[in-house]
Amino acid sequence: MSKVQCELCPRLCVIPEGAAGDCRVRVNIEGKLRATTYGRPSAVHIDPIEKKPFYHFRPTTSVFSIGTAGCNLHCLNCQNWQLSQRGGEEMEQIYSLPPAGLVQEALDRHCQGLAYTYNDPIVFYEYVRDSAELAKAKGLNNVFVTAGYINPKPLRELCRWLDATTLDIKAFDDGFYRRVCSGSLKPVLDAMVIFREEKVWLEVSNLMIPSLNDDMALVRRLARWMRDELGADTPLHFLRFVPMYRMRSLPPTPETSLVRAREEARDAGLHHVYIGNLFGHEAESTFCPRDGTLLVQRSGMRVIANHLTADGRCPSCQQPIAGVWH
Amino acid sequence: MKALLWRHLRPREFRFLGFVLANLIAIGLFLASGQEEMAPVGGWRRIDTEALARRLQSGELQMREALWSKPVEAGRERPR
């Protein structure tokens, strides 16, 4: 029986023949590791880029979004557990969309980019890599929505093809990762630094779960770490938790916690801190960090008005606003 | 001062100190064992191989060779 070791993520699964890695979709078949969901997404949608969330990367564009079965984290609060916590052979719906077909679909539907999202695209790495290469050649953007639980080498290799990433940090607490996600914090922090070093536009999100990771001390530590390691202009999105999967007994995040977290992160020095999943809140919009001018007004993940200058500056004080605006 | 304190401790107090120390050691060992259990491990999962074979055969799933893998020697796998 030939075993293989998957070196894609920090789990480093050693997989006997006929079994899958912890992610359920990288399978040892006859002594070779196979990516069984390659070109076989189970979720396909066209989304506004704001939904990922990206607030500083080509606003108002549409992205052709795909996700497959499987994930290398097992968060008890997962919002897409029907996809992420199942193997490919368990899925009701599987689409045939190899890289060339995927890129053509995106072009036919007038999308400006591809989004690898829904489950963690790390587990369909090869599909992302091949699609992203083709997409780039056709002038499409590649955006990656991830939890960042990946080893440095494969990540650096993939960054060559990526334009932007939203990284969801579960909590600035290793214990939380171990208890709730069956992962660990350090590889995620390393991934954020690598995205920054490789010049992939980075936005960070944090789903605030009442009583589990809504401690303001954690928020302050995250914000200070981001300020020091990623830069004060890195956008941070605090997302409202909605009871889901194995955490249905907890209430949704109260607005007051999200507002307080935003204040703490701004006090720590971050320039762009948003609140997500709380439609209509003013913290969905972008303001100038220097003079407070409303720059991009949003509601429900849609852009209502964009007052930025053509070269991405505040129209009042001419402060350049970090982002990829066109 | 330390010597004075030591001289005035009675056997009963020594026993109590021993009891406290034993408790602290027990708590420490318990916490350490919990940490070990919670650590993410590189395991593997049994899957429905018949369903997988069926879906591979029908073309719903793929046999694309994965990147970032290497063969390993026997006896290192850990099931989840």
Side-chain angles (χ1 to χ4, degrees), chain B residues 9-77:
Chain B
L9 279 177
R10 295 175 190 163
R12 199 176 63 176
E13 287 158 339
F14 272 119
R15 281 201 300 276
F16 178 70
L17 278 178
F19 174 73
V20 169
L21 199 64
N23 269 290
L24 288 174
I25 290 169
I27 291 167
L29 287 173
F30 173 75
L31 290 176
S33 70
Q35 283 296 319
E36 202 170 289
E37 276 167 26
M38 285 192 298
V41 292
W44 52 271
R45 288 177 188 271
R46 288 185 184 88
I47 51 172
D48 182 346
T49 46
E50 280 178 24
L52 179 69
R54 247 191 338 267
R55 298 196 105 165
L56 285 169
Q57 205 165 21
S58 68
E60 288 175 286
L61 291 176
Q62 286 286 287
M63 284 279 277
R64 163 74 189 223
E65 194 169 337
L67 301 167
W68 308 103
S69 73
K70 64 174 187 192
V72 291
E73 70 275 19
R76 287 195 52 209
E77 74 277 18

Side-chain angles (χ1 to χ4, degrees), chain A residues 75-151:
Chain A
C75 307
L76 302 177
N77 57 293
C78 184
Q79 313 270 307
N80 287 319
W81 61 273
Q82 297 96 332
L83 273 181
S84 69
Q85 302 306 311
R86 296 164 83 189
E89 70 285 353
E90 297 175 273
M91 302 306 296
E92 291 89 19
Q93 192 69 58
I94 301 175
Y95 303 97
S96 176
L97 214 46
L102 171 64
V103 170
Q104 196 53 53
E105 280 285 334
L107 291 168
D108 290 347
R109 290 164 191 269
H110 309 292
C111 293
Q112 288 79 33
L114 295 179
Y116 311 97
T117 178
Y118 304 131
N119 64 326
D120 200 309
I122 288 168
V123 302
F124 58 96
Y125 181 97
E126 296 77 10
Y127 185 26
V128 175
R129 202 197 73 153
D130 292 355
S131 304
E133 188 175 356
L134 282 179
K136 213 164 180 107
K138 296 279 186 184
L140 294 171
N141 304 307
N142 291 295
V143 304
F144 197 67
V145 182
T146 182
Y149 201 59
I150 184 171
N151 282 329

Side-chain angles (χ1 to χ4, degrees), chain A residues 15 22 25 42 76 106 158 167 221 227 276 294 306:
Chain A
I15 311 163
D22 187 66
V25 292
S42 286
L76 302 177
L158 191 63
L167 191 147
R221 282 168 57 199
R227 179 198 65 202
L294 174 63
N306 185 346

Side-chain angles (χ1 to χ4, degrees), chain A residues 38 42 44 60 73 76 85 127 139 162 230 245 285 305:
Chain A
Y38 182 93
S42 286
V44 179
T60 72
L73 290 180
L76 302 177
Q85 302 306 311
Y127 185 26
L162 300 180
L230 307 175
Y245 191 37
S285 298

Side-chain angles (χ1 to χ4, degrees), chain A residues 258-289:
Chain A
L258 295 161
V259 169
R260 207 176 143 211
R262 181 172 183 248
E263 282 168 7
E264 292 280 359
R266 292 173 79 184
D267 288 348
L270 293 185
H271 293 161
H272 302 288
V273 186
Y274 299 100
I275 294 176
N277 295 349
L278 196 66
F279 297 148
H281 198 282
E282 69 150 18
E284 280 186 294
S285 298
T286 303
F287 296 89
C288 176

Side-chain angles (χ1 to χ4, degrees), chain A residues 49-50 54-61 262 272-274 281-289 292-309 312-315 321-326:
Chain A
I49 199 157
E50 284 77 15
F54 283 106
Y55 282 5
H56 288 234
F57 185 82
R58 302 186 195 274
T60 72
T61 55
R262 181 172 183 248
H272 302 288
V273 186
Y274 299 100
H281 198 282
E282 69 150 18
E284 280 186 294
S285 298
T286 303
F287 296 89
C288 176
T293 301
L294 174 63
L295 300 173
V296 184
Q297 187 181 4
R298 301 181 189 84
S299 180
M301 294 187 267
R302 296 268 174 191
V303 173
I304 308 295
N306 185 346
H307 305 296
L308 284 165
T309 63
R313 291 171 184 271
C314 170
I321 307 300
V324 180
W325 300 108
H326 299 288

Side-chain angles (χ1 to χ4, degrees), chain A residues 10 73 146-152 155-156 165 167-174 177 183-197 202 204-206 218 221-230:
Chain A
L73 290 180
T146 182
Y149 201 59
I150 184 171
N151 282 329
L155 178 57
R156 282 198 196 275
T165 188
L167 191 147
D168 185 45
I169 184 165
K170 309 296 179 181
F172 202 79
D173 174 15
D174 190 63
Y177 267 90
S184 55
L185 174 64
K186 173 79 168 52
V188 178
L189 300 182
D190 292 344
M192 283 195 271
V193 172
I194 289 172
F195 280 123
R196 176 59 79 226
E197 286 173 355
L202 171 67
V204 177
S205 62
N206 176 217
L218 288 182
R221 282 168 57 199
L222 169 63
R224 287 176 191 154
W225 183 87
M226 282 181 61
R227 179 198 65 202
D228 296 342
E229 302 296 327
L230 307 175

